[in-house]
Amino acid sequence: MFGLNNQCIVDFDEEYHGIEEYESAVPRWCPGCGDNAILSSVQRLCRDEQLPPERTVFVSGIGCSSRFPHHMGTYGFHGLHGRALPVAEGVKIRRPDLHVFVNMGDGDCCSIGSAHWIHAIRYNMNLVAIVHDNEIYGMTKMQASPTTPQGLRTNTTPTGAKLKPLNILATTLGVTNVSFVANVTDWMPESMYKILQMAFHHRGFSFVRVVQRCPHYLPHLLDPIVTDPNNTIMLLHEDGLDISDDLGKIYKNHLAHDPSDLNKAREIASMDDKVPIGILYRDPSVPCYDDLQKPRRQVTMEMRREALDKELNKFAVYEN
Ligand SMILES: Cc1ncc(C[n+]2csc(CCOP(=O)(O)OP(=O)(O)O)c2C)c(N)n1
Ligand code: SF4
């Protein structure tokens, strides 16, 4: 825009990162898959926080949801089933300057990766971990996962799943050093965005569970929650989630919940009849393992250059 004397009066920031910088390969998830909605919210968050793409990393395991890093225009590591968390922790401990996000399926996190999950909570490193909980193994064609509802017929439980599902939120809230636990559904973009934003700004291990639709294998599983807002309860607080008037008119069950109250958070996590949306627990005072390690781990550029020179010099060919 030009003003008097043809002088430019709008200051454009050349470093501004548009949403397209956070986009990469076109997602190949099924139409209506909740992973698409999670991706949109995360890309928006990266744009709004202006995260430098070259200093942002998405780490995943294996599964439909674990294809996430391919669709982000940032760095990424699509690794081994169940091993996203130790890889992410390794990245963070060596490069504390990077923004590290983790994407896991419910199988990835709570089945094969369950030991890493428990210890990641206790280590409380500064990461954002998103669990895409579709209550099934999507990629391996509808096998039961630890969060599959009791009685559901799957390819590994043809007569119905025998066990009660694992309660992800209650389990997370039961681990020593837990510092941030939130819950949301993939069809509530306003709340998902706000929760991801709070997770990003929390210093520590931010655990966000997203109830995610898998319309390919379980097209009607979540219908009661999607179609009847009465099955959802909004956790509201000045230190937690707030919602717009429009959303508040649709989702009428509101509960004032102070996210610093761990006992109440555990009670909410154990509710069987409603899906809680919001921040269940937040304690920014829990020490982060990456902070405790920092003094020993800091490596300067000069040290890196020297180490690299030393290694490369082994292959140097000298003329006589
Ligand atoms: C060590 C190992 N065990 C098993 C598998 C097979 N496998 C690939 S993805 C997957 C489950 C995926 O389910 P989930 O983590 O819930 O993610 P979704 O596909 O539902 O997003 C399994 C069992 C594997 N790739 N590697
Ligand atoms: S199988 Fe399910 S989880 Fe996988 S992409 Fe399709 S809808 Fe999504």
Side-chain angles (χ1 to χ4, degrees), residues 24-204:
S24 188
V26 176
R28 290 165 63 189
W29 292 307
C30 307
C33 173
D35 289 336
N36 293 291
I38 302 173
L39 180 68
S40 300
S41 266
V42 169
Q43 286 171 335
R44 224 182 106 203
L45 175 81
C46 291
R47 190 264 323 264
D48 293 351
E49 298 292 335
Q50 284 295 291
L51 303 189
E54 73 282 4
R55 288 206 292 116
T56 305
V57 187
F58 283 78
V59 181
S60 67
I62 297 288
C64 296
S65 44
S66 287
R67 292 194 51 77
F68 205 92
H70 294 275
H71 310 306
M72 292 296 306
T74 60
Y75 278 94
F77 190 99
H78 182 187
L80 286 172
H81 190 38
R83 311 297 176 218
L85 284 167
V87 172
E89 287 164 332
V91 172
K92 190 69 189 175
I93 205 100
R94 296 306 298 174
R95 291 291 308 272
D97 57 312
L98 302 182
H99 303 289
V100 184
F101 294 78
V102 190
N103 297 89
M104 297 171 284
D106 40 294
D108 215 35
C109 177
C110 312
S111 186
I112 191 169
S114 51
H116 301 304
W117 168 35
I118 303 299
H119 292 288
I121 301 164
R122 189 170 75 93
Y123 273 61
N124 193 39
M125 289 184 61
N126 193 24
L127 309 166
V128 177
I130 304 170
V131 177
H132 305 222
D133 184 5
N134 57 6
E135 305 180 20
I136 201 78
Y137 288 181
M139 180 159 271
T140 44
K141 303 188 184 297
M142 206 180 167
Q143 297 177 317
S145 94
T147 62
T148 295
Q150 193 171 25
L152 189 83
R153 288 175 182 227
T154 73
N155 286 331
T156 44
T157 57
T159 57
K162 299 276 181 276
L163 303 176
K164 273 184 82 175
L166 182 80
N167 185 326
I168 297 191
L169 299 172
T171 306
T172 307
L173 286 163
V175 179
T176 309
N177 280 347
V178 61
S179 77
F180 185 104
V181 182
N183 196 49
V184 72
T185 61
D186 79 55
W187 56 93
M188 297 176 75
E190 176 192 310
S191 302
M192 175 150 50
Y193 177 81
K194 283 186 182 167
I195 284 172
L196 288 172
Q197 198 177 38
M198 293 181 87
F200 173 71
H201 286 289
H202 172 74
R203 181 136 192 99

